[in-house]
Amino acid sequence: MKRKAFVMAALSLALVAANVSTVQADALVGQPAPSFTAADTNGKSHALTDFKGKYVVLEWTNYDCPFVVKQYSTQAMQEMQKMAAGKGVVWLSVNSSAAGKQGNYPAEKWNTLVKEKGAAPKAILLDGDGKIGQLYGAKTTPHMYIINPEGKLIYNGAIDDKPTTDAATKPQTNYVAAALTEAMAGKPVTVATTRPYGCSVKY
Amino acid sequence: MFWFAVGFAVLTVPVAAIPVRSAHTEAELISEVRSVQPGRPFWVALRLKMDPEWHTYWLNPGDSGTATTLQWQQPAGIQAGPLRWPYPQRIAAPPLASYGYEGTVYLLSEIQAPADLKPGAKLALRAKAEWLECKVECLPGAGTVALELPVQAEATAPSVHADAIAAARGRLPVTIADWKLRAAVQEGQLILRATRPEWFAGEIGPVTFFPEQDLLIEPAAPQVLEVRPDGFLLKLKRSAVSTATPERIAGVLVAPAGWRGAGSEQALSVRVALEPVAAVLSAGAPDLAGLLVAVGFAFLGGMILNLMPCVLPVLSIKVLGFVQEARTGHAWRYGLAFTAGVLASFWLLAGGLLLLRAGGEQLGWGFQLQSPPFLVILCAVLFLFGLNLFGIFEVGTSLTRLGGAGPAGGLGGSFFSGVLATTVATPCTAPFMGSALGYALTQPVWAALLVFTALGLGMASPYLLLSLSPALLRFVPKPGAWMETFKQAMGFLLMGTVVWLGWVLGLQAGVSALAALLAALVVLGAAAWALGKWGHMAAPAPTRLTARVLAALGIVGALGVALVGVEQQSAASSGPTQATATPSEGIRWEAFSPQRVAALRAAGTPVFIDFTAAWCLSCQVNERVAFSSPQVREAFARGGFVMLKADWTKRDAAIAQALAQFGRSGVPLYVLYGPTAGAPPRILPEVLTPDIIVKALQELS
């Protein structure tokens, strides 16, 4: 009797345990941003902790994705990068395309492309094994994150409110610019989480 | 087809649409009818034919992608209905997933033809379509699609596309009111519950939910179906970054087996408001097997409860009572009275819990100990009871029957000790009890009451058994002078319980509240002393009356003042309690929060969660026995565990929710998450030893 009860108890515990949802790796707004270290296209290593005390923008990118193409062909992304740099914000573009997949280039090619586009990130981080992407739960290109000087994530989501590849469609709100402006003015970020749009990250 | 061709020739304008092509998709506007009748609605569709392996997106594209858009550019007077989306398929690209279409899709729209159309004229429809086509890489597609249809006075005839459009319409989500749909959000989960209509005899096969809302669920996460006799539960992982809980859930439930039976509609429209978790889970009849297991566990748990530290002080009193009554030959009556007392208190407890649950409160086992006024009253009762055992006063027959009066008063006394035993038992959760109670609280009222009844019967069963079979009474010691000594000694045990409850009160409401309680106890003690000295039967009647009135005034006054004082104090101190962190020194406890657990799990950090409360005596014992052991501390440190303490001494909805997630309604609960991401947590037993913990940690690593 007792043995049977024990078996049942164990079974029910196992059932309870199986029902409990597991937590996926994702960066949550309001929580400390997951830390990482990655090499850039010049072979230089960057750790998130290097930038403590500064705002950091993470931009998931893939220069062949039409949504990214739109952001760069309209100069919207470059302008944001330059504006951010002017305010002392560290802008890191991250590429998580796996080897052989779209958007994965050798380092020299990246440097050429950056020059061609007139892009101005602090660095392009190469994340070919997708580790940082999965750590942050990056889903699309572009997918944007903002980390505040205390190392907390304050924005996670889309770049703007117009999920289109059509260069003629101007966004009404650029969420990243809005969040940075608010945060730097000492205000809470009004829109802190949105659904990112774009091409899937090519893990 | 023939007519079509003739119309073409006569009108010398293209009646059929001109397809637009992007790199991998052909887009065309098509109509269900060959001609338009003034004032009559008709269906058109944007047909997208994708190359093999390419897909376009649904209205909610999932993890990536963009929904197709259609912008009408037509003359005034023609009304086009909104784009209607056939249900999508899940397109997996681990670790991501999108919602979209492969092959050919028909995005539908109903057009209302104006009543003043002239027969013989043409109706021109134009729209700009934009889509995103993806295989692995993505390309945008766009084009202006157009369609011209002749206007005829007669009824319209179906076009060559009629069948395909009708089939696409069959994939639109439908509302079937007989299917009762409910939804709730539980920490990290969205739970959809469907109750089948009586007429539904089909199979509940695989079911997939496609949300229309952004950031509602994780598209790539598995959807867990739990079939129940009256329908099913679908458990979905909430979006990992979702910040707000929506009020309503909108989406489509897709079952290939059909919602009316084989071959019927496959897409059921979901438009429901969120409800409390307990309400959604408790809907419908419980399954019999689960109920039987819970009842069995509750009975066992109730029996074991007698051995928990909470009940022990009262246990000894009960033994005394039995010794006393055993010789009268009517022991069974006292056994029954005791059982009735236990059951009545369990029903009262269950009733309170269920009532408050219906009001949406997050409660659990032992909830009444989270209330400072309840603690004050419990302390007062136990204190007076203890004074009674010391012999400071005798109430004769009104409290418990220990002194040895007639059997009539004894029955009431037995009932009362049943009540008392239950009351002091609530700070404990015995093994087997946790899961039974957790289950009970998600069930309909009658099932919950059944489980609580089993718990009470289990707790009373040893005494009932003893009282029903006189043969067993041989093992009970004979009455004698030793009983007086034993009685007095038990009084100290009760005083100890009062001290402990006072400590709990102090944690909840602060030191001033504790002082108020102690002052009240002094007054109570004086009242009891006066009662004992002048209120006994041997005193002259006027003296006796005065003493009794004074004692009653003292008791009522002291309790009243203490309750008011405590109420004010507890309102002032609303912060979390800290003291449960003290017993296990050497372990660095952090405060529990679901977000902290999520963050640690995300980083692959092993986590131990201690769900505890100051009023939970089992928890306190466990902490002193298990967590203070150096080998346990060392094992946790070696495993790199982050130690989280969920202190439930005061009411806390987040902790109550977390407990419910593990199917529990009370503390203690010990949860171990190992370093493997995604692995289910391990739950440790309610009674801990250093060995159990160390072994569990070894097995994890």
Side-chain angles (χ1 to χ4, degrees):
Chain A
M1 176 63 205
K2 209 137 194 195
R3 244 182 97 120
K4 213 167 184 184
F6 260 108
V7 170
M8 277 164 112
L11 270 177
S12 79
L13 280 185
L15 279 176
V16 167
N19 281 341
V20 173
S21 66
T22 51
V23 182
Q24 187 190 308
D26 265 308
L28 293 174
V29 166
Q31 296 286 324
S35 57
F36 61 82
T37 307
D40 70 9
T41 50
N42 297 314
K44 190 167 180 273
S45 178
H46 299 274
L48 185 59
T49 46
D50 297 347
F51 307 115
K52 197 113 195 180
K54 289 181 175 176
Y55 283 94
V56 177
V57 172
L58 301 181
E59 171 213 354
W60 256 263
T61 198
N62 164 3
Y63 282 2
D64 288 328
C65 161
F67 292 88
V68 176
V69 168
K70 178 205 163 177
Q71 293 293 332
Y72 280 94
S73 68
T74 57
Q75 297 293 315
M77 194 68 96
Q78 293 94 321
E79 280 164 23
M80 282 242 299
Q81 290 167 343
K82 280 166 194 158
M83 180 201 78
K87 291 182 177 173
V89 176
V90 177
W91 188 292
L92 301 172
S93 301
V94 188
N95 178 259
S96 296
S97 295
K101 293 235 176 116
Q102 186 194 56
N104 181 303
Y105 311 120
E108 317 82 69
K109 172 94 182 281
W110 269 112
N111 290 336
T112 320
L113 286 171
V114 167
K115 213 166 279 168
E116 272 174 26
K117 291 196 190 289
K122 163 124 184 129
I124 303 253
L125 303 183
L126 299 178
D127 180 41
D129 55 9
K131 271 196 184 140
I132 307 173
Q134 300 207 29
L135 189 62
Y136 274 75
K139 298 193 161 170
T140 60
T141 49
H143 187 163
M144 309 297 297
Y145 299 85
I146 305 176
I147 299 155
N148 75 5
E150 289 81 54
K152 269 193 185 164
L153 195 73
I154 55 169
Y155 180 77
N156 174 354
I159 183 151
D160 58 35
D161 59 352
K162 286 282 181 276
T164 169
T165 56
D166 180 7
T169 311
K170 293 266 175 292
Q172 280 187 316
T173 309
N174 184 300
Y175 294 128
V176 177
L180 270 177
T181 308
E182 282 177 334
M184 289 180 142
K187 292 186 206 146
V189 176
T190 320
V191 183
T193 306
T194 58
R195 184 179 72 81
Y197 71 81
C199 313
S200 60
V201 174
K202 314 301 180 205
Y203 288 114
Chain B
M1 200 60 222
F2 171 75
W3 274 107
F4 205 71
V6 170
F8 207 112
V10 169
L11 295 163
T12 66
V13 289
V15 175
I18 308 159
V20 182
R21 241 201 104 81
S22 64
H24 298 281
T25 304
E26 183 191 279
E28 188 174 351
L29 194 62
I30 56 170
S31 164
E32 190 177 17
V33 292
R34 262 190 289 181
S35 61
V36 180
Q37 196 180 10
R40 276 303 184 90
F42 62 98
W43 288 88
V44 296
L46 172 69
R47 182 181 66 188
L48 296 173
K49 271 192 206 170
M50 282 75 77
D51 287 351
E53 293 177 75
W54 287 77
H55 61 263
T56 57
Y57 294 92
W58 188 51
L59 82 165
N60 173 7
D63 272 336
S64 64
T66 329
T68 301
T69 58
L70 195 65
Q71 278 175 290
W72 292 101
Q73 309 160 343
Q74 58 211 2
I78 302 174
Q79 281 174 7
L83 210 53
R84 305 281 304 276
W85 303 78
Y87 70 81
Q89 63 189 94
R90 183 148 67 158
I91 297 161
L96 309 177
S98 302
Y99 304 135
Y101 308 100
E102 288 174 334
T104 302
V105 64
Y106 298 82
L107 305 179
L108 302 162
S109 178
E110 199 175 20
I111 309 280
Q112 183 65 48
D116 57 0
L117 280 182
K118 298 275 171 301
K122 296 161 294 178
L123 180 68
L125 299 173
R126 268 166 71 87
K128 187 176 182 219
E130 282 187 301
W131 61 89
L132 182 71
E133 55 197 36
C134 299
K135 184 179 171 188
V136 175
E137 42 306 335
C138 298
L139 293 168
T144 299
V145 288
L147 173 67
E148 269 187 337
L149 293 167
V151 178
Q152 283 185 352
E154 309 88 73
T156 57
S159 77
V160 289
H161 303 297
D163 288 347
I165 288 182
R169 216 166 29 227
R171 290 172 65 100
L172 292 179
V174 291
T175 304
I176 304 173
D178 290 354
W179 276 95
K180 298 269 176 300
L181 299 173
R182 310 178 75 179
V185 165
Q186 197 174 22
E187 213 56 55
Q189 273 193 331
L190 172 68
I191 299 170
L192 287 178
R193 187 189 170 97
T195 309
R196 70 160 91 209
E198 270 173 36
W199 47 258
F200 180 85
E203 278 288 300
I204 294 181
V207 178
T208 313
F209 177 68
F210 295 97
E212 286 177 17
Q213 290 148 301
D214 288 343
L215 300 178
L216 185 67
I217 61 170
E218 281 296 327
Q223 305 194 349
V224 180
L225 181 74
E226 254 180 59
V227 178
R228 298 209 170 174
D230 65 340
F232 65 85
L233 282 182
L234 191 62
K235 294 186 172 173
L236 309 157
K237 187 173 184 306
R238 286 274 280 138
S239 159
V241 297
S242 59
T243 44
T245 305
E247 278 178 27
R248 303 182 67 78
I249 302 299
V252 185
L253 270 174
V254 177
W259 292 100
R260 289 184 208 269
S264 67
E265 295 92 341
Q266 301 182 345
L268 186 61
S269 173
V270 180
R271 291 270 181 291
V272 289
L274 274 186
E275 296 178 72
V277 179
V280 168
L281 291 180
S282 69
D287 72 302
L288 198 61
L291 185 62
L292 283 178
V293 171
V295 164
F297 276 16
F299 189 84
L300 261 173
M303 272 170 70
I304 301 173
L305 199 53
N306 283 306
L307 302 176
M308 293 289 110
C310 316
V311 192
L312 275 173
V314 177
L315 179 93
S316 42
I317 294 167
K318 270 180 292 179
V319 170
L320 257 186
F322 272 108
V323 174
Q324 197 66 35
E325 310 301 349
R327 315 298 152 187
T328 65
H330 295 295
W332 61 272
R333 294 169 60 190
Y334 303 105
L336 285 181
F338 175 76
T339 307
V342 170
L343 283 182
S345 343
F346 268 103
W347 288 333
L348 199 70
L349 255 177
L353 258 176
L354 293 172
L355 250 166
L356 288 166
R357 181 188 79 182
E361 295 268 1
Q362 296 279 354
L363 295 173
W365 181 244
F367 72 96
Q368 74 277 36
L369 289 154
Q370 294 170 334
S371 146
F374 181 85
L375 285 174
V376 169
I377 291 171
L378 190 57
C379 279
V381 170
L382 290 176
F383 182 69
L384 284 175
F385 202 79
L387 293 182
N388 181 252
L389 291 186
F390 290 147
I392 290 185
F393 72 105
E394 298 278 338
V395 195
T397 58
S398 62
L399 262 182
T400 71
R401 273 282 304 107
L402 294 166
L411 283 183
S414 288
F415 183 86
F416 182 76
S417 50
V419 172
L420 195 69
T422 311
T423 315
V424 296
T426 48
C428 276
T429 308
F432 296 109
M433 233 178 88
S435 44
L437 280 181
Y439 170 86
L441 289 178
T442 63
Q443 297 303 310
V445 171
W446 66 266
L449 284 177
L450 202 63
V451 172
F452 272 92
T453 306
L455 190 59
L457 283 178
M459 191 170 134
S461 59
Y463 309 101
L464 196 58
L465 194 70
L466 204 63
S467 69
L468 287 180
S469 46
L472 291 174
L473 287 172
R474 282 188 291 122
F475 301 106
V476 175
K478 288 190 168 43
W482 66 270
M483 280 178 59
E484 195 57 30
T485 317
F486 184 68
K487 217 175 77 173
Q488 285 168 2
M490 285 307 109
F492 288 103
L493 252 174
L494 283 181
M495 291 300 159
T497 312
V498 172
V499 169
W500 163 57
L501 290 172
W503 173 65
V504 175
L505 177 75
L507 290 178
Q508 284 180 9
V511 119
S512 304
L514 178 59
L517 171 73
L518 291 177
L521 292 185
V522 172
V523 177
L524 284 182
W529 169 72
L531 198 64
K533 203 160 172 60
W534 294 292
H536 56 84
M537 299 304 279
T543 315
R544 197 165 69 214
L545 188 67
T546 315
R548 288 191 174 177
V549 168
L550 277 179
L553 281 177
I555 290 172
V556 172
L559 272 179
V561 170
L563 284 175
V564 171
V566 163
E567 197 61 67
Q568 282 168 353
Q569 289 302 320
S570 55
S573 78
S574 56
T577 58
Q578 286 301 322
T580 43
T582 45
S584 40
E585 276 161 31
I587 294 181
R588 226 191 54 143
W589 293 100
E590 281 183 42
F592 163 87
S593 77
Q595 293 80 14
R596 182 75 179 127
V597 176
L600 288 168
R601 295 293 303 133
T605 311
V607 182
F608 177 79
I609 315 173
D610 173 12
F611 289 89
T612 182
W615 44 260
C616 161
L617 203 46
S618 321
C619 309
Q620 303 303 322
V621 171
N622 280 338
E623 299 199 358
R624 279 161 183 78
V625 170
F627 295 132
S628 57
S629 136
Q631 63 180 121
V632 167
R633 285 209 300 266
E634 210 172 280
F636 274 124
R638 212 177 315 119
F641 275 83
V642 170
M643 311 290 287
L644 299 183
K645 186 159 294 222
D647 185 344
W648 208 35
T649 302
K650 287 188 193 178
R651 294 266 288 275
D652 185 322
I655 293 176
Q657 264 180 25
L659 283 167
Q661 204 185 335
F662 290 97
R664 293 300 180 86
S665 70
V667 288
L669 172 67
Y670 304 103
V671 180
L672 264 180
Y673 282 102
T676 320
R682 206 187 144 131
I683 293 172
L684 299 184
E686 278 97 342
V687 177
L688 287 182
T689 63
D691 277 356
I692 292 176
I693 300 181
V694 171
K695 237 172 119 188
L697 289 177
Q698 276 167 356
E699 282 164 24
L700 267 186
S701 59

